[in-house]
Amino acid sequence: MNQLIDDINRYIAYLNRSGLFVTVHGKGLGGLLQHNIHRHPYCCLVKTDEEAWQTCIRCQQKVYRAHKQGSLFGMCHAGMEEYVFFVGDKTFVSVSGYGIHREKAMERIRRLTENYYLQESELKTVYENSLKHEPEDPDALATVIRPLCHMLALLQLQLASAAEADSVDGLGDTVLRYVQKNFMQELTIERVARACACSASTVSHLFRRHTGRSVKQYVAELRINQAKKLLDTSDLPVQTVASLCGFANINYFSTAFKKTVGLSPTEYRRKAVD
C-alpha cells in the first residue's frame, strides 16, 4: 500500500510538471491529502477570502452528483474551468486552470467582487495571466488521467481492508488538511493540536510521518510557493503578496523568500517578466 501511495504521488508530480494542475478529492485518500486543495494561482487568490473558500467547498459537493457521467468539463463559481474524472461516487480527479469561456467568467468575477472582499482588477489580471485559454484534447487528457483513477480505486480497496491504519491515517489527514487550509494564518503546533483534538506531540509525529517535514517547514514551503505564483501572475505589490501568503513582516518575507529561491521577491518578478 505504501508503494502504491508513493507511485500515485510520483505520477501526480509528473503530471504537474507536464503543465497539468491535478488535484484529488474525496474519501479513502490516506497519504494523498497534499493533493486535495487547488494550488493554482487564481484559486489561491480567491481563497484569500475565507467565505469565498467556503463557497468553493460547498460547490465541490455538487460535483459528486454527476459521477455517473464518468467525466465532465465545467466552470466553478469563481470563473475557472476544470476537467473532472470520476473514480467513483465519492472520489474524483480534477485537472484545473482553464479560462475558455471568458465572457461567462468575467460575469462570475464581477459577482465575486460584489459578494466577497476581493478586487476585480486583481482577479482579472491573474485570470488572464495564469489560466490556459485553450482547451485540452479530451481523449489525450483521458489517456493520462485514467491510469491515475485506476490507481486511486486500487488504493481505496486496500485502505478499506486496513481499518486500523485507516484510523491512524484519518487523524493524520485531518491535521494535514487543517494546516493546508490555514497556512496563511499564524500557525503553531499547539493551535493545530487544539483544532484537531490531539496533543502537540501527536501532531508533530503524524506530520513528519505524512510529509517528512515539520509543521513549520511545511507551512514555510506552502507560503513561498504561493508567493511565487502570485508574483508570476499578478501585479500586486510585494507587501500585498507577503500579507496574502501569511507573512506579517515584509522584511522577514523578503529574507525568507531570498533564502529559499535565491532571489528577492522583486528580483524574482523581474526575472519572470524578462
Side-chain angles (χ1 to χ4, degrees):
M1 184 168 64
N2 289 335
Q3 182 62 59
L4 178 57
I5 291 173
D6 288 343
D7 287 342
I8 292 172
N9 279 319
R10 283 196 292 268
Y11 190 60
I12 292 176
Y14 162 75
L15 293 173
N16 290 337
R17 288 195 303 271
S18 301
L20 300 174
F21 280 90
V22 177
T23 50
V24 181
H25 307 270
K27 298 182 179 179
L29 300 173
L32 301 175
L33 259 294
Q34 66 269 34
H35 305 298
N36 186 243
I37 296 178
H38 289 291
R39 298 291 178 205
H40 192 278
Y42 185 75
C43 286
C44 289
L45 183 56
V46 170
K47 290 173 181 175
T48 57
D49 185 287
E50 176 64 24
E51 291 187 18
W53 194 338
Q54 291 303 318
T55 300
C56 291
I57 294 172
R58 289 194 296 272
C59 290
Q60 188 182 95
Q61 299 307 308
K62 300 177 183 178
V63 176
Y64 293 104
R65 301 171 192 165
H67 73 275
K68 291 183 179 180
Q69 296 183 36
S71 63
L72 59 86
F73 178 78
M75 181 182 291
C76 75
H77 80 105
M80 187 178 74
E81 292 164 283
E82 64 182 325
Y83 295 86
V84 172
F85 296 83
F86 290 95
V87 180
D89 61 345
K90 297 185 172 90
T91 309
F92 66 86
V93 174
S94 167
V95 184
S96 63
Y98 297 88
I100 310 300
H101 300 92
R102 188 180 183 279
E103 185 175 342
K104 182 178 178 181
M106 291 300 108
E107 176 60 25
R108 296 200 177 188
I109 287 175
R110 185 187 63 77
R111 290 206 302 266
L112 273 181
T113 59
E114 291 176 352
N115 297 327
Y116 309 107
Y117 290 104
L118 295 166
Q119 295 295 319
E120 185 171 353
S121 60
E122 294 174 1
L123 288 168
K124 287 182 176 179
T125 297
V126 178
Y127 177 92
E128 297 291 356
N129 293 341
S130 70
L131 297 185
K132 296 181 180 180
H133 300 293
E134 295 294 331
E136 299 286 347
D137 178 333
D139 291 334
L141 187 61
T143 298
V144 296
I145 298 299
R146 287 297 179 197
L148 174 58
C149 294
H150 295 320
M151 286 191 284
L152 291 169
L154 178 58
L155 176 62
Q156 289 176 320
L157 288 174
Q158 293 190 3
L159 285 172
S161 64
E164 182 177 351
D166 190 49
S167 176
V168 174
D169 284 339
L171 179 56
D173 288 346
T174 298
V175 170
L176 186 57
R177 184 182 294 110
Y178 180 82
V179 170
Q180 289 182 330
K181 189 175 185 298
N182 295 280
F183 74 90
M184 293 174 285
Q185 304 176 26
E186 183 178 352
L187 277 183
T188 64
I189 290 181
E190 289 72 23
R191 177 180 173 180
V192 176
R194 286 195 300 272
C196 300
C198 60
S199 68
S201 60
T202 297
V203 168
S204 180
H205 170 74
L206 287 174
F207 216 84
R208 287 227 176 246
R209 172 179 168 177
H210 276 66
T211 70
R213 284 158 286 182
S214 68
V215 174
K216 184 177 180 179
Q217 291 170 328
Y218 189 79
V219 168
E221 182 178 312
L222 289 177
R223 289 175 174 175
I224 294 297
N225 285 339
Q226 179 162 337
K228 288 167 64 179
K229 292 172 183 175
L230 289 177
L231 289 169
D232 281 335
T233 60
S234 78
D235 298 321
L236 296 171
V238 171
Q239 186 164 355
T240 301
V241 170
S243 178
L244 289 174
C245 296
F247 293 93
N249 185 295
I250 182 64
N251 292 326
Y252 176 72
F253 168 62
S254 296
T255 300
F257 192 93
K258 187 167 186 177
K259 182 178 179 181
T260 302
V261 181
L263 299 169
S264 71
T266 302
E267 291 170 337
Y268 177 84
R269 172 174 273 169
R270 187 181 304 122
K271 184 176 180 180
V273 172
D274 294 341

